[in-house]
Amino acid sequence: MVSKFFLFSFCWLTLIACTANAQSKTVQQLSNSQLDEKINFSIENSTIQSKSLENKVLLASNANKEISLSSPVNLSSNKSRTHENYELNKQLYKSQGNSILPINSGNYMTLTPTPQVNALGNPLYELRLYVHGKLFDHYLTVTGRAHTQTKNRHRSGTEAPLPDGTYKVARSPVAGTIPEAGDRFLPIRPLFKTGRTDLGIHYDPSFEKNNGEDGTSGCIALTNRQDLEEVLNFVRIHQPQYIDVKIQ
């Protein structure tokens, strides 16, 4: 009887030990599995954080580039009159803060009188260029001749200065048809009723020359070829909507 009792106790203890061992292995397996998941999560999280950091660095780099492009620049000072400068101005005027504005928004020209005359007594008029309503540049010009300033400005053949009013500006110049119109001629078309035709902007090859040709037959003429080049660059890049003439 006693031997049977000891045998039963031994079997019971063995069963309990095996069960405990199995549970220990299960706990260990679960622990290892959870550890693997934590390791994998940590690796994936590190990868995500690394990619996120790379994206933040890239965004910061792009932001710095955008800030560099759109930083305000005083174009009115130290402005060298070169083709490259006009290309730079084109980009700067298109970028206002973070928004892109139409290239021809508020771009126009005006012609107004000045108290000055040239060496031959021909009145000088100021041609002003505007971008987005702000003065971009200005030039001295002539229109008509010294002795035709008071003639009828609406009659063809008088060689008087062009009449006051608003004119449509061509997008690009054409070749000059007469020597006094120079090699390039930018047509302008009156948006009002007048007898004047074939008006435009060019430069005066005879400016302040005592040859009877100083001035124009009614067109607007820059005083030199370089000024005309700059005005044509302005027209090509900024496409002014009109020119407003008020000289009487």
Side-chain angles (χ1 to χ4, degrees):
M1 184 67 181
V2 173
S3 61
K4 287 183 179 181
F5 175 78
F6 280 111
L7 179 60
F8 176 79
S9 299
F10 176 79
C11 292
W12 176 254
L13 292 172
T14 302
L15 178 61
I16 292 173
C18 290
T19 303
N21 188 39
Q23 290 178 345
S24 176
K25 288 182 178 179
T26 301
V27 171
Q28 183 65 32
Q29 288 174 356
L30 288 174
S31 178
N32 290 340
S33 176
Q34 290 173 350
L35 180 61
D36 289 341
E37 289 178 359
K38 287 182 179 180
I39 292 173
N40 290 335
F41 175 79
S42 178
I43 292 173
E44 292 175 358
N45 190 43
S46 298
T47 303
I48 293 171
Q49 289 178 349
S50 176
K51 290 182 178 179
S52 177
L53 179 60
E54 290 175 0
N55 290 336
K56 287 180 180 179
V57 170
L58 180 60
L59 289 173
S61 176
N62 290 337
N64 288 336
K65 290 180 181 178
E66 292 175 0
I67 291 171
S68 175
L69 175 63
S70 61
S71 296
V73 176
N74 187 353
L75 296 177
S76 62
S77 62
N78 301 323
K79 181 176 68 63
S80 61
R81 294 179 172 181
T82 63
H83 175 73
E84 291 78 8
N85 188 65
Y86 273 87
E87 289 295 336
L88 173 62
N89 290 349
K90 177 182 178 181
Q91 297 301 322
L92 291 175
Y93 272 108
K94 285 177 69 177
S95 300
Q96 299 291 325
N98 294 322
S99 63
I100 303 300
L101 296 177
I103 192 66
N104 62 349
S105 176
N107 302 344
Y108 57 92
M109 300 188 287
T110 65
L111 188 71
T112 54
T114 77
Q116 300 173 264
V117 296
N118 70 1
L120 299 177
N122 204 357
L124 297 176
Y125 299 94
E126 185 175 51
L127 179 66
R128 294 184 178 184
L129 316 180
Y130 290 86
V131 175
H132 304 318
K134 296 180 181 180
L135 182 63
F136 180 80
D137 214 334
H138 58 97
Y139 302 87
L140 290 177
T141 68
V142 290
T143 177
R145 308 190 190 280
H147 64 280
T148 65
Q149 296 294 308
T150 59
K151 291 188 176 182
N152 190 335
R153 300 188 179 203
H154 288 278
R155 181 181 298 174
S156 180
T158 61
E159 295 192 336
L162 75 173
D164 285 0
T166 303
Y167 297 74
K168 180 72 175 178
V169 181
R171 294 296 181 88
S172 58
V174 298
T177 56
I178 59 174
E180 284 302 309
D183 56 348
R184 285 170 300 173
F185 181 90
L186 183 68
I188 61 174
R189 179 173 58 85
L191 300 178
F192 55 91
K193 187 176 180 180
T194 180
R196 302 298 289 275
T197 59
D198 301 325
L199 296 172
I201 300 173
H202 57 89
Y203 90 98
D204 181 12
S206 297
F207 181 74
E208 292 190 330
K209 293 181 180 178
N210 198 10
N211 59 2
E213 296 290 345
D214 173 76
T216 72
S217 296
C219 294
I220 302 168
L222 283 302
T223 63
N224 59 80
R225 187 189 297 269
Q226 178 61 31
D227 283 359
L228 176 64
E229 175 69 24
E230 293 171 14
V231 171
L232 293 181
N233 274 335
F234 169 84
V235 171
R236 177 179 60 84
I237 294 169
H238 297 291
Q239 300 175 8
Q241 298 166 322
Y242 60 86
I243 177 171
D244 186 43
V245 176
K246 293 181 180 178
I247 57 176
Q248 281 186 298

